[in-house]
Amino acid sequence: MDLEAMYAEKAEMFRAAIDKQADEEIAKSAKEIRAKRTAADKAKAERALADEMTKIRAERSANEMKFKKEISRCEFETIKAVRAHRKKLIDDFFEEIRGELEEYAKSAKYDEYLMRSIAKAEKELGADIVILAAAKDVEKVKALTKHEVRAERSILLGGVGALDEKKGLYADYTLDSALSDEKEAFTDKEELRL
């Protein structure tokens, strides 16, 4: 065997071993690079996903706030409409009662009411009183009492008020006050509140 051939064969084996080792190191490096790239891509994807989730949460919160505001506005508008409707019904109801009281003030029973009211005033305030009546009722009331009778502009429906000028006391038996008190009590009922 020739020495050169032997060296050539050993050189070939050595080259093959180096090539094999180089291929293994290249494969290992490529694998590591791919793993790093995959990890970097995965981290990048996770970051992008987290960013998207943050945006979605922000949009969700904004939409929830918008919906809450809209629902609140709708509830307010509904309550406002219900209250306006309720007020109209109550006003119409009491306007109807006002009409009935005006008719009552024209009936024979009205004179009895005036006499009872004057008697109550005398009992509560004493004999030294001035009777206040609607301008339309002054003559009728004068016929029912011996007390001084004055016209009172605030009395529209009827009834009487009594005034003890010395003591500064006033008693109100007017249909106007009774209607006003009933309307106020009616609207204060728990069942009618929203």
Side-chain angles (χ1 to χ4, degrees), residues 91-108:
D91 289 346
D92 291 349
F93 176 69
F94 279 94
E95 195 56 40
E96 195 175 304
I97 291 174
R98 174 182 283 279
E100 291 175 11
L101 288 173
E102 288 171 350
E103 289 302 311
Y104 172 74
K106 295 174 187 173
S107 73

Side-chain angles (χ1 to χ4, degrees), residues 94 98 101 113 154-161 170-185:
F94 279 94
R98 174 182 283 279
L101 288 173
Y113 173 76
S154 65
I155 303 173
L156 302 173
L157 291 174
V160 294
Y170 177 75
D172 190 340
Y173 306 104
T174 64
L175 298 176
D176 303 81
S177 294
L179 181 65
S180 176
D181 292 346
E182 283 301 313
K183 186 174 182 180
E184 188 174 316

Side-chain angles (χ1 to χ4, degrees), residues 65-77:
M65 287 302 292
K66 193 183 335 177
F67 289 136
K68 283 180 184 177
K69 281 182 182 178
E70 186 61 22
I71 288 170
S72 177
R73 187 192 66 76
C74 289
E75 286 175 349
F76 175 76
E77 291 296 324

Side-chain angles (χ1 to χ4, degrees), residues 63-130:
N63 287 334
E64 283 176 357
M65 287 302 292
K66 193 183 335 177
F67 289 136
K68 283 180 184 177
K69 281 182 182 178
E70 186 61 22
I71 288 170
S72 177
R73 187 192 66 76
C74 289
E75 286 175 349
F76 175 76
E77 291 296 324
T78 301
I79 289 171
K80 185 176 160 186
V82 167
R83 284 185 177 159
H85 182 68
R86 182 182 70 180
K87 183 183 181 317
K88 183 185 179 325
L89 290 175
I90 290 170
D91 289 346
D92 291 349
F93 176 69
F94 279 94
E95 195 56 40
E96 195 175 304
I97 291 174
R98 174 182 283 279
E100 291 175 11
L101 288 173
E102 288 171 350
E103 289 302 311
Y104 172 74
K106 295 174 187 173
S107 73
K109 290 182 179 182
Y110 180 60
D111 290 348
E112 293 172 23
Y113 173 76
L114 290 174
M115 288 184 350
R116 284 192 313 270
S117 298
I118 293 169
K120 277 185 191 176
E122 289 172 345
K123 185 177 178 182
E124 291 178 9
L125 300 179
D128 192 22
I129 57 175
V130 175

Side-chain angles (χ1 to χ4, degrees), residues 24-40:
E24 287 172 358
E25 285 180 16
I26 289 172
K28 182 180 175 186
S29 293
K31 186 176 180 181
E32 287 174 1
I33 289 171
R34 276 194 296 274
K36 285 181 183 177
R37 188 181 305 157
T38 302

